[in-house]
Amino acid sequence: MRLASPIMPSACDSPIEDIEDMVSFNDPTPHERQSSRKSIIPRSRKNKELLSNEELQADSLIPGTQKIWMKTWGCSHNNSDGEYMAGQLASSGYKMTDDPTEADLWLLNSCTVKNPAEDHFRNSIKKAQEQQKKVVVAGCVPQAQPRMDYLKGLSIIGVQQIDRVVEVVDEAVKGHSVRLLGQKKDGGRRLGGARLDLPKIRKNPLIEIISINTGCLNACTYCKTKHARGDLASYPIEELAERARQSFQEGVCEIWLTSEDTGAYGRDIGTDLPTLLWRLVEEIPEGAMLRLGMTNPPYILEHLEEMAKILNHPRVYAFLHVPVQSASDSVLMDMKREYCIDDFRRVVDFLKERVPGVTIATDIICGFPGETEEDFQATVDLVKCYRFPSLFINQFYPRPGTPAAKMEQVPAHVKKQRTKELSQLFHSYNPYDHKVGERQNVLVTEESFDAQYYVAHNKFYEQVLVPKRSEFKGKMIEVDIYEAGKHFLKGRPAEDSKPFTPSIAAPLEKGAVSGLMQVISHRHTHLKVCIWVHLNI
């Protein structure tokens, strides 16, 4: 570790590439700081008067005394990263707040998939600066393009460095600019990322999001996420099984598996997705459910037989997200998607035959460079054929630095018209009408946006709205379907049926830190000296 000269006031204005650059010879190393942080055991204060006096005397620049507002854009992988960062900050003493105006620091966790998402991210940075807030940025945008002008002088947490969020925020509070963008490796092999057993605050205490790998094996010409997440790096099966086990011990009743491409899981460590799924099924309590994440067609083709068996398992949703992007082989070739449309059809047809009722969700990009009217009509015909119940329609946005951005673009008005036409087709059919009258078992996990219902999902991960009764939350219940909409079903509890509790423990309170009790127990066992602090959770 190289030595650093003492930090002068002007040092706040220049970015420091790593926290190691900020320590002197006698300072503890980052590893030692993290180890000592693990020696802190949270305990609530009983003497409110004492706490008040201490807060009045506190220096506002003392890290760990501030309020933090966090905003996350993008996929479930990003949301999982956000939950881990919130958990570490809360367990270190920071208070996470839902009110951005009262926060001292904004932690902005970005998505680089589309231009609008980055625009929202950039505007949030500007808004924070106008309000004199400290800012720390994370996610795929700064990881892929850390030298963007609007990121100048800001502290950055790389996508594989979320386990060091407390260190970065500590320094940002002091006015230092810190950037951690390195890759985690072990013996030269790239790791999946930060440890899975870190503290986290689940957005929904009933749902655990587990990243099974990061990065992918593709090189799609339109994709900016690859620049941030890199090549495939998978977590070992037993680490994932242990994370699932801990989640169920904390009252979780539903697990989502996520990554940039779940189908490619394990190819870098000598295993595969079906092997992982069969292992995870062993950990799932009766009545709890597992949802698979997105998988690209090339890597699921060789596992179709096993995947059909797994999707038929009673504790696994019969749901798979398989992005097609276009039904034109010419466009798929220009996208470098590494499959043809017949491959996609084979995946869908096989699963529909072997997994009756299976839900196949897919993505489509309208107006990719070079897309002809004939290419687009092939995509329209595909949607007419399969009538996908879940369809993500995206107008093409050229992302800076990608090969597709340099290709000849389809005129903006044509892209807009094609997006509109496909959206009209999607809204012209109702995929759930035939479900009315069915009796289904559904797992209740959240509240509807309008707060009028609880939201449940049936075996096929179709959204079922049920009466908002407290005894239903986190339970498997039997309902009779009496209404169908474009994106939902409505169900009333079946007579004489009783809610089934899949959880093996009471769920954590909203905002509570996952993994805290295990950490506290471990600290009690091994520490000779304990430092007591107040947690503002």
Side-chain angles (χ1 to χ4, degrees), residues 91-355:
S91 62
S92 184
Y94 288 100
K95 180 177 180 181
M96 306 304 296
T97 177
D98 293 328
D99 184 355
T101 62
E102 74 170 16
D104 302 291
L105 180 144
W106 288 13
L107 174 53
L108 304 174
N109 189 19
S110 63
C111 171
T112 192
V113 172
K114 301 180 189 177
N115 291 27
E118 183 170 351
D119 291 342
H120 287 308
F121 171 62
R122 185 191 301 110
N123 291 337
S124 294
I125 292 174
K126 183 179 179 181
K127 189 174 181 179
Q129 292 170 334
E130 290 172 349
Q131 297 182 24
Q132 305 296 309
K133 306 290 186 183
K134 302 285 188 181
V135 180
V136 172
V137 295
C140 292
V141 172
Q143 180 73 56
Q145 293 181 288
R147 300 188 187 281
M148 294 289 285
D149 286 343
Y150 69 89
L151 298 177
K152 188 175 181 180
L154 297 181
S155 290
I156 296 176
I157 303 165
V159 295
Q160 286 206 313
Q161 299 290 338
I162 61 170
D163 55 338
R164 299 179 67 182
V165 62
V166 174
E167 295 173 81
V168 176
V169 169
D170 282 354
E171 297 304 330
V173 164
K174 300 173 187 175
H176 302 145
S177 178
V178 181
R179 298 190 166 199
L180 295 182
L181 295 165
Q183 301 293 327
K184 291 190 178 298
K185 296 184 178 180
D186 181 17
R189 184 180 69 82
R190 186 168 176 267
L191 299 178
R195 299 195 330 268
L196 294 171
D197 61 351
L198 294 170
K200 71 153 50 175
I201 296 178
R202 298 185 182 95
K203 186 176 181 181
N204 183 338
L206 296 173
I207 298 175
E208 166 71 1
I209 307 172
I210 302 180
S211 304
I212 63 173
N213 57 265
T214 189
C216 69
L217 294 173
N218 292 348
C220 300
T221 56
Y222 57 82
C223 182
K224 189 75 175 176
T225 306
K226 176 78 173 189
H227 296 194
R229 298 282 183 179
D231 292 327
L232 180 71
S234 305
Y235 286 98
I237 286 179
E238 285 308 311
E239 288 185 20
L240 294 165
E242 177 57 34
R243 182 66 198 178
R245 186 181 306 118
Q246 178 191 329
S247 301
F248 290 123
Q249 290 171 350
E250 294 177 335
V252 162
C253 62
E254 185 172 291
I255 282 183
W256 298 355
L257 301 186
T258 185
S259 76
E260 284 64 59
D261 187 352
T262 58
Y265 170 80
R267 286 174 175 252
D268 57 321
I269 57 173
T271 185
D272 55 39
L273 181 61
T275 303
L276 168 65
L277 295 177
W278 286 124
R279 177 65 185 87
L280 290 177
V281 162
E282 297 175 13
E283 302 295 337
I284 304 175
E286 182 181 356
M289 297 296 289
L290 173 71
R291 192 195 81 174
L292 276 69
M294 186 274 287
T295 177
N296 285 311
Y299 308 111
I300 206 69
L301 276 166
E302 65 189 72
H303 300 309
L304 287 178
E305 289 276 0
E306 284 300 296
M307 290 304 299
K309 294 176 185 176
I310 290 165
L311 292 175
N312 277 313
H313 194 283
R315 295 193 288 276
V316 178
Y317 286 118
F319 167 90
L320 200 60
H321 179 193
V322 189
V324 64
Q325 306 301 8
S326 173
S328 164
D329 284 342
S330 174
V331 173
L332 291 175
M333 185 177 297
D334 288 342
M335 290 178 171
K336 286 195 174 180
R337 290 291 286 167
E338 299 184 8
Y339 59 87
C340 63
I341 192 59
D342 284 346
D343 292 332
F344 175 81
R345 288 180 178 273
R346 182 184 165 201
V347 170
V348 177
D349 293 343
F350 186 95
L351 293 178
K352 280 181 170 290
E353 178 186 348
R354 302 295 182 91
V355 189

Side-chain angles (χ1 to χ4, degrees), residues 475-495:
K475 307 292 195 304
M476 182 77 77
I477 63 174
E478 192 174 36
V479 299
D480 292 318
I481 303 300
Y482 66 91
E483 184 181 331
K486 176 62 181 176
H487 302 287
F488 64 87
L489 298 162
K490 287 185 180 179
R492 61 172 62 94
E495 291 185 15

